[in-house]
PDB file of all heavy atoms in Angstrom:
ATOM      1  N   PHE A  77      63.867 -26.485 -15.465  1.00 92.00           N
ATOM      2  CA  PHE A  77      63.986 -27.817 -14.872  1.00 92.00           C
ATOM      3  C   PHE A  77      65.330 -28.033 -14.178  1.00 92.00           C
ATOM      4  O   PHE A  77      65.579 -29.122 -13.652  1.00 92.00           O
ATOM      5  CB  PHE A  77      63.801 -28.886 -15.955  1.00 92.00           C
ATOM      6  CG  PHE A  77      62.498 -28.785 -16.684  1.00 92.00           C
ATOM      7  CD1 PHE A  77      62.457 -28.391 -18.013  1.00 92.00           C
ATOM      8  CD2 PHE A  77      61.299 -29.063 -16.034  1.00 92.00           C
ATOM      9  CE1 PHE A  77      61.258 -28.285 -18.693  1.00 92.00           C
ATOM     10  CE2 PHE A  77      60.092 -28.957 -16.705  1.00 92.00           C
ATOM     11  CZ  PHE A  77      60.069 -28.566 -18.030  1.00 92.00           C
ATOM     12  N   VAL A  78      66.204 -27.009 -14.200  1.00 91.00           N
ATOM     13  CA  VAL A  78      67.524 -27.153 -13.597  1.00 91.00           C
ATOM     14  C   VAL A  78      67.857 -25.924 -12.756  1.00 91.00           C
ATOM     15  O   VAL A  78      67.204 -24.882 -12.867  1.00 91.00           O
ATOM     16  CB  VAL A  78      68.616 -27.347 -14.671  1.00 91.00           C
ATOM     17  CG1 VAL A  78      68.373 -28.623 -15.475  1.00 91.00           C
ATOM     18  CG2 VAL A  78      68.686 -26.139 -15.598  1.00 91.00           C
ATOM     19  N   ASP A  79      68.865 -26.059 -11.929  1.00 89.00           N
ATOM     20  CA  ASP A  79      69.394 -24.942 -11.161  1.00 89.00           C
ATOM     21  C   ASP A  79      70.534 -24.343 -11.986  1.00 89.00           C
ATOM     22  O   ASP A  79      71.653 -24.859 -11.977  1.00 89.00           O
ATOM     23  CB  ASP A  79      69.900 -25.442  -9.806  1.00 89.00           C
ATOM     24  CG  ASP A  79      70.476 -24.320  -8.950  1.00 89.00           C
ATOM     25  OD1 ASP A  79      70.535 -23.167  -9.424  1.00 89.00           O
ATOM     26  OD2 ASP A  79      70.892 -24.604  -7.818  1.00 89.00           O
ATOM     27  N   THR A  80      70.255 -23.284 -12.706  1.00 89.00           N
ATOM     28  CA  THR A  80      71.253 -22.723 -13.622  1.00 89.00           C
ATOM     29  C   THR A  80      72.471 -22.163 -12.888  1.00 89.00           C
ATOM     30  O   THR A  80      73.571 -22.110 -13.458  1.00 89.00           O
ATOM     31  CB  THR A  80      70.628 -21.620 -14.495  1.00 89.00           C
ATOM     32  OG1 THR A  80      70.037 -20.625 -13.649  1.00 89.00           O
ATOM     33  CG2 THR A  80      69.558 -22.201 -15.408  1.00 89.00           C
ATOM     34  N   GLU A  81      72.304 -21.762 -11.648  1.00 88.00           N
ATOM     35  CA  GLU A  81      73.433 -21.210 -10.896  1.00 88.00           C
ATOM     36  C   GLU A  81      74.388 -22.304 -10.426  1.00 88.00           C
ATOM     37  O   GLU A  81      75.566 -22.037 -10.163  1.00 88.00           O
ATOM     38  CB  GLU A  81      72.923 -20.403  -9.701  1.00 88.00           C
ATOM     39  CG  GLU A  81      72.152 -19.144 -10.087  1.00 88.00           C
ATOM     40  CD  GLU A  81      71.740 -18.331  -8.875  1.00 88.00           C
ATOM     41  OE1 GLU A  81      72.060 -18.769  -7.735  1.00 88.00           O
ATOM     42  OE2 GLU A  81      71.113 -17.277  -9.056  1.00 88.00           O
ATOM     43  N   ASN A  82      73.877 -23.518 -10.314  1.00 85.00           N
ATOM     44  CA  ASN A  82      74.713 -24.642  -9.885  1.00 85.00           C
ATOM     45  C   ASN A  82      74.685 -25.772 -10.917  1.00 85.00           C
ATOM     46  O   ASN A  82      74.755 -26.951 -10.564  1.00 85.00           O
ATOM     47  CB  ASN A  82      74.223 -25.176  -8.530  1.00 85.00           C
ATOM     48  CG  ASN A  82      74.362 -24.158  -7.425  1.00 85.00           C
ATOM     49  OD1 ASN A  82      75.469 -23.759  -7.075  1.00 85.00           O
ATOM     50  ND2 ASN A  82      73.234 -23.712  -6.887  1.00 85.00           N
ATOM     51  N   TYR A  83      74.603 -25.380 -12.187  1.00 90.00           N
ATOM     52  CA  TYR A  83      74.486 -26.400 -13.243  1.00 90.00           C
ATOM     53  C   TYR A  83      75.803 -27.161 -13.389  1.00 90.00           C
ATOM     54  O   TYR A  83      76.866 -26.566 -13.586  1.00 90.00           O
ATOM     55  CB  TYR A  83      74.107 -25.752 -14.569  1.00 90.00           C
ATOM     56  CG  TYR A  83      73.831 -26.757 -15.662  1.00 90.00           C
ATOM     57  CD1 TYR A  83      72.585 -27.369 -15.754  1.00 90.00           C
ATOM     58  CD2 TYR A  83      74.812 -27.112 -16.578  1.00 90.00           C
ATOM     59  CE1 TYR A  83      72.325 -28.307 -16.733  1.00 90.00           C
ATOM     60  CE2 TYR A  83      74.561 -28.044 -17.562  1.00 90.00           C
ATOM     61  CZ  TYR A  83      73.308 -28.643 -17.640  1.00 90.00           C
ATOM     62  OH  TYR A  83      73.063 -29.579 -18.614  1.00 90.00           O
ATOM     63  N   HIS A  84      75.699 -28.463 -13.272  1.00 86.00           N
ATOM     64  CA  HIS A  84      76.876 -29.308 -13.432  1.00 86.00           C
ATOM     65  C   HIS A  84      76.417 -30.688 -13.871  1.00 86.00           C
ATOM     66  O   HIS A  84      76.057 -31.532 -13.040  1.00 86.00           O
ATOM     67  CB  HIS A  84      77.669 -29.407 -12.126  1.00 86.00           C
ATOM     68  CG  HIS A  84      78.848 -30.325 -12.221  1.00 86.00           C
ATOM     69  ND1 HIS A  84      79.982 -30.012 -12.945  1.00 86.00           N
ATOM     70  CD2 HIS A  84      79.072 -31.558 -11.693  1.00 86.00           C
ATOM     71  CE1 HIS A  84      80.852 -30.999 -12.858  1.00 86.00           C
ATOM     72  NE2 HIS A  84      80.319 -31.957 -12.108  1.00 86.00           N
ATOM     73  N   ALA A  85      76.403 -30.924 -15.176  1.00 84.00           N
ATOM     74  CA  ALA A  85      75.981 -32.220 -15.698  1.00 84.00           C
ATOM     75  C   ALA A  85      77.142 -33.200 -15.586  1.00 84.00           C
ATOM     76  O   ALA A  85      78.178 -33.038 -16.235  1.00 84.00           O
ATOM     77  CB  ALA A  85      75.539 -32.084 -17.156  1.00 84.00           C
ATOM     78  N   ALA A  86      76.987 -34.195 -14.740  1.00 83.00           N
ATOM     79  CA  ALA A  86      78.053 -35.173 -14.529  1.00 83.00           C
ATOM     80  C   ALA A  86      78.329 -35.961 -15.803  1.00 83.00           C
ATOM     81  O   ALA A  86      77.464 -36.103 -16.674  1.00 83.00           O
ATOM     82  CB  ALA A  86      77.649 -36.127 -13.408  1.00 83.00           C
ATOM     83  N   LYS A  87      79.557 -36.464 -15.926  1.00 84.00           N
ATOM     84  CA  LYS A  87      79.876 -37.320 -17.059  1.00 84.00           C
ATOM     85  C   LYS A  87      78.975 -38.551 -17.027  1.00 84.00           C
ATOM     86  O   LYS A  87      78.832 -39.194 -15.985  1.00 84.00           O
ATOM     87  CB  LYS A  87      81.345 -37.742 -17.020  1.00 84.00           C
ATOM     88  CG  LYS A  87      82.323 -36.618 -17.361  1.00 84.00           C
ATOM     89  CD  LYS A  87      83.746 -37.142 -17.421  1.00 84.00           C
ATOM     90  CE  LYS A  87      84.710 -36.029 -17.832  1.00 84.00           C
ATOM     91  NZ  LYS A  87      86.104 -36.515 -17.929  1.00 84.00           N
ATOM     92  N   PRO A  88      78.370 -38.889 -18.148  1.00 84.00           N
ATOM     93  CA  PRO A  88      77.395 -39.994 -18.155  1.00 84.00           C
ATOM     94  C   PRO A  88      78.064 -41.355 -18.120  1.00 84.00           C
ATOM     95  O   PRO A  88      79.241 -41.504 -18.453  1.00 84.00           O
ATOM     96  CB  PRO A  88      76.661 -39.778 -19.473  1.00 84.00           C
ATOM     97  CG  PRO A  88      77.696 -39.148 -20.358  1.00 84.00           C
ATOM     98  CD  PRO A  88      78.517 -38.253 -19.468  1.00 84.00           C
ATOM     99  N   GLN A  89      77.283 -42.346 -17.743  1.00 79.00           N
ATOM    100  CA  GLN A  89      77.726 -43.729 -17.765  1.00 79.00           C
ATOM    101  C   GLN A  89      76.617 -44.594 -18.325  1.00 79.00           C
ATOM    102  O   GLN A  89      75.440 -44.366 -18.067  1.00 79.00           O
ATOM    103  CB  GLN A  89      78.099 -44.213 -16.359  1.00 79.00           C
ATOM    104  CG  GLN A  89      79.367 -43.597 -15.802  1.00 79.00           C
ATOM    105  CD  GLN A  89      79.783 -44.254 -14.493  1.00 79.00           C
ATOM    106  OE1 GLN A  89      78.958 -44.740 -13.730  1.00 79.00           O
ATOM    107  NE2 GLN A  89      81.075 -44.284 -14.240  1.00 79.00           N
ATOM    108  N   LEU A  90      77.014 -45.596 -19.107  1.00 82.00           N
ATOM    109  CA  LEU A  90      76.078 -46.586 -19.635  1.00 82.00           C
ATOM    110  C   LEU A  90      76.389 -47.914 -18.962  1.00 82.00           C
ATOM    111  O   LEU A  90      77.523 -48.391 -18.997  1.00 82.00           O
ATOM    112  CB  LEU A  90      76.241 -46.715 -21.152  1.00 82.00           C
ATOM    113  CG  LEU A  90      75.524 -45.664 -21.998  1.00 82.00           C
ATOM    114  CD1 LEU A  90      76.154 -45.564 -23.379  1.00 82.00           C
ATOM    115  CD2 LEU A  90      74.050 -46.004 -22.132  1.00 82.00           C
ATOM    116  N   ARG A  91      75.374 -48.512 -18.326  1.00 80.00           N
ATOM    117  CA  ARG A  91      75.578 -49.752 -17.586  1.00 80.00           C
ATOM    118  C   ARG A  91      74.572 -50.811 -18.028  1.00 80.00           C
ATOM    119  O   ARG A  91      73.507 -50.497 -18.546  1.00 80.00           O
ATOM    120  CB  ARG A  91      75.417 -49.513 -16.081  1.00 80.00           C
ATOM    121  CG  ARG A  91      76.361 -48.468 -15.484  1.00 80.00           C
ATOM    122  CD  ARG A  91      76.189 -48.432 -13.964  1.00 80.00           C
ATOM    123  NE  ARG A  91      77.094 -47.508 -13.308  1.00 80.00           N
ATOM    124  CZ  ARG A  91      76.782 -46.247 -13.010  1.00 80.00           C
ATOM    125  NH1 ARG A  91      75.587 -45.781 -13.329  1.00 80.00           N
ATOM    126  NH2 ARG A  91      77.654 -45.468 -12.406  1.00 80.00           N
ATOM    127  N   THR A  92      74.941 -52.047 -17.779  1.00 77.00           N
ATOM    128  CA  THR A  92      74.012 -53.152 -18.032  1.00 77.00           C
ATOM    129  C   THR A  92      73.634 -53.862 -16.733  1.00 77.00           C
ATOM    130  O   THR A  92      73.026 -54.926 -16.763  1.00 77.00           O
ATOM    131  CB  THR A  92      74.619 -54.168 -19.014  1.00 77.00           C
ATOM    132  OG1 THR A  92      75.890 -54.602 -18.517  1.00 77.00           O
ATOM    133  CG2 THR A  92      74.806 -53.547 -20.391  1.00 77.00           C
ATOM    134  N   SER A  93      74.028 -53.298 -15.596  1.00 76.00           N
ATOM    135  CA  SER A  93      73.646 -53.892 -14.310  1.00 76.00           C
ATOM    136  C   SER A  93      73.644 -52.799 -13.250  1.00 76.00           C
ATOM    137  O   SER A  93      74.173 -51.704 -13.452  1.00 76.00           O
ATOM    138  CB  SER A  93      74.632 -55.004 -13.906  1.00 76.00           C
ATOM    139  OG  SER A  93      75.930 -54.477 -13.744  1.00 76.00           O
ATOM    140  N   GLY A  94      73.048 -53.092 -12.119  1.00 78.00           N
ATOM    141  CA  GLY A  94      73.066 -52.170 -10.994  1.00 78.00           C
ATOM    142  C   GLY A  94      72.100 -51.016 -11.091  1.00 78.00           C
ATOM    143  O   GLY A  94      72.326 -49.964 -10.490  1.00 78.00           O
ATOM    144  N   ALA A  95      71.015 -51.162 -11.823  1.00 83.00           N
ATOM    145  CA  ALA A  95      70.038 -50.079 -11.955  1.00 83.00           C
ATOM    146  C   ALA A  95      69.333 -49.820 -10.625  1.00 83.00           C
ATOM    147  O   ALA A  95      69.026 -50.751  -9.872  1.00 83.00           O
ATOM    148  CB  ALA A  95      69.008 -50.422 -13.020  1.00 83.00           C
ATOM    149  N   GLU A  96      69.074 -48.546 -10.332  1.00 87.00           N
ATOM    150  CA  GLU A  96      68.349 -48.180  -9.118  1.00 87.00           C
ATOM    151  C   GLU A  96      66.892 -48.623  -9.207  1.00 87.00           C
ATOM    152  O   GLU A  96      66.311 -48.660 -10.290  1.00 87.00           O
ATOM    153  CB  GLU A  96      68.381 -46.665  -8.912  1.00 87.00           C
ATOM    154  CG  GLU A  96      69.740 -46.058  -8.696  1.00 87.00           C
ATOM    155  CD  GLU A  96      69.645 -44.560  -8.491  1.00 87.00           C
ATOM    156  OE1 GLU A  96      68.738 -44.107  -7.752  1.00 87.00           O
ATOM    157  OE2 GLU A  96      70.454 -43.831  -9.084  1.00 87.00           O
ATOM    158  N   SER A  97      66.314 -48.920  -8.060  1.00 90.00           N
ATOM    159  CA  SER A  97      64.878 -49.200  -8.004  1.00 90.00           C
ATOM    160  C   SER A  97      64.129 -47.873  -8.057  1.00 90.00           C
ATOM    161  O   SER A  97      64.603 -46.853  -7.561  1.00 90.00           O
ATOM    162  CB  SER A  97      64.525 -49.958  -6.723  1.00 90.00           C
ATOM    163  OG  SER A  97      65.188 -51.198  -6.683  1.00 90.00           O
ATOM    164  N   ALA A  98      62.954 -47.883  -8.656  1.00 90.00           N
ATOM    165  CA  ALA A  98      62.162 -46.663  -8.776  1.00 90.00           C
ATOM    166  C   ALA A  98      61.520 -46.306  -7.446  1.00 90.00           C
ATOM    167  O   ALA A  98      60.861 -47.134  -6.818  1.00 90.00           O
ATOM    168  CB  ALA A  98      61.084 -46.844  -9.843  1.00 90.00           C
TER     169      ALA A  98
END
Side-chain angles (χ1 to χ4, degrees):
F77 303 111
V78 298
D79 180 357
T80 56
E81 294 184 0
N82 296 296
Y83 186 82
H84 177 71
K87 288 185 177 181
Q89 290 188 331
L90 278 159
R91 302 186 177 94
T92 55
S93 62
E96 297 181 43
S97 298

